[in-house]
Amino acid sequence: MKLYVVRHGESETNLIRHWTGWTNVNLTEKGREDARTAGKYLQGIPFDKIYSSDLNRAMQTAQIAVPGCIPEETLLLREINVGNIAGHPIDDNPPEQRKHFNEVGYSDVGGETREDFYTRIREFLNHAASLDCETVAAFCHRGWMVGLFEILTEVPFPRNCMRCGNCAIAVLEYENGIWYLNSWINP
C-alpha cells in the first residue's frame, strides 16, 4: 500500500508567522496555488481513499489538489494543539522556549504534549495499515509531517533542520508490517 501524505498550502497564519495549531484558518491565494502545484504531482494517481484533517487549510488543499474529491475528515491528522499561544506571533516566544515546545509539546500553555500528538499520528498509521487499499492520500500539517518523520526514523528531529514546505508530499509504502519512506517532495 502507498500513502501520500500532503502538507496544506500556505495559510493566513503561515503568511504572518503566527502560531496556528487547531485554529481554523483558510488558505491564501498563494496557498491555493501551492495546492494546484501539489495536484500536478498527484494527478492520475487512483486514490482508493482520501483523508484530511478537519481544519479548513487541509480540507481546501485536498479539494484543490484532487479536484472532485470529498475527503474523509479525521481529527487524527490535525496539527498539534498549541494551546493559548494560537494566534500569537511565533517570534514572541524566545528560541529556547520554542525548542522546549519542540521537545515536549505545548501542555504548559494549555495544548498537547508531544507524546499525545505522536499517539494520534501512530493511530492514523495503524488505521491506514488496516485498510484494504492500494493507494491512500492524507492531507495534514507541518507538525504532523515532522512527527511522522520522527516516528519512522525513531530519531528526535529539530523542526528547524527539516525542510517541509507548504504542500510537501511524503510517499510512504507499507510492507510486511513496516512503513517505509519512499520519497519526499518539496514542490
Side-chain angles (χ1 to χ4, degrees):
M1 180 237 249
K2 278 192 177 180
L3 174 63
Y4 290 76
V5 181
V6 184
R7 180 187 178 198
H8 63 77
E10 180 186 74
S11 71
E12 296 162 339
T13 50
N14 290 150
L15 180 65
I16 59 174
R17 288 192 39 82
H18 281 204
W19 294 102
T20 310
W22 289 7
T23 304
N24 215 359
V25 297
N26 294 310
L27 295 178
T28 63
E29 184 50 47
K30 182 185 178 310
R32 289 186 282 282
E33 184 57 37
D34 293 338
R36 285 188 283 276
T37 300
K40 292 175 186 175
Y41 288 90
L42 303 174
Q43 188 174 5
I45 297 171
F47 292 111
D48 297 310
K49 205 141 180 75
I50 298 175
Y51 291 94
S52 176
S53 159
D54 65 325
L55 297 172
N56 288 351
R57 57 199 185 269
M59 289 292 292
Q60 291 166 354
T61 301
Q63 292 164 342
I64 294 168
V66 186
C69 80
I70 302 172
E72 184 176 324
E73 297 177 32
T74 176
L75 300 174
L76 297 176
L77 290 170
R78 268 190 178 197
E79 179 63 280
I80 192 168
N81 180 350
V82 298
N84 62 26
I85 62 171
H88 294 276
I90 291 171
D91 294 331
D92 281 359
N93 299 93
E96 60 276 0
Q97 187 175 31
R98 291 195 305 262
K99 182 176 186 255
H100 170 76
F101 291 152
N102 287 336
E103 291 169 357
V104 299
Y106 301 85
S107 59
D108 54 349
V109 291
E112 218 171 356
T113 67
R114 179 89 30 213
E115 195 48 48
D116 287 343
F117 181 47
Y118 287 4
T119 297
R120 280 197 292 114
I121 296 170
R122 286 184 190 98
E123 190 174 335
F124 180 80
L125 290 174
N126 290 338
H127 170 73
S130 74
L131 296 172
D132 186 23
C133 294
E134 291 296 316
T135 312
V136 174
F139 289 82
C140 62
H141 307 268
R142 182 182 194 283
W144 205 96
M145 290 183 79
V146 172
L148 170 67
F149 192 74
E150 288 182 348
I151 288 167
L152 294 177
T153 62
E154 298 180 354
V155 174
F157 222 77
R159 292 175 61 104
N160 61 350
C161 70
M162 181 177 183
R163 184 169 298 236
C164 183
N166 290 108
C167 284
I169 303 168
V171 183
L172 307 178
E173 290 190 50
Y174 186 72
E175 207 173 274
N176 300 320
I178 299 172
W179 284 104
Y180 297 94
L181 179 62
N182 185 347
S183 58
W184 186 274
I185 305 162
N186 268 307

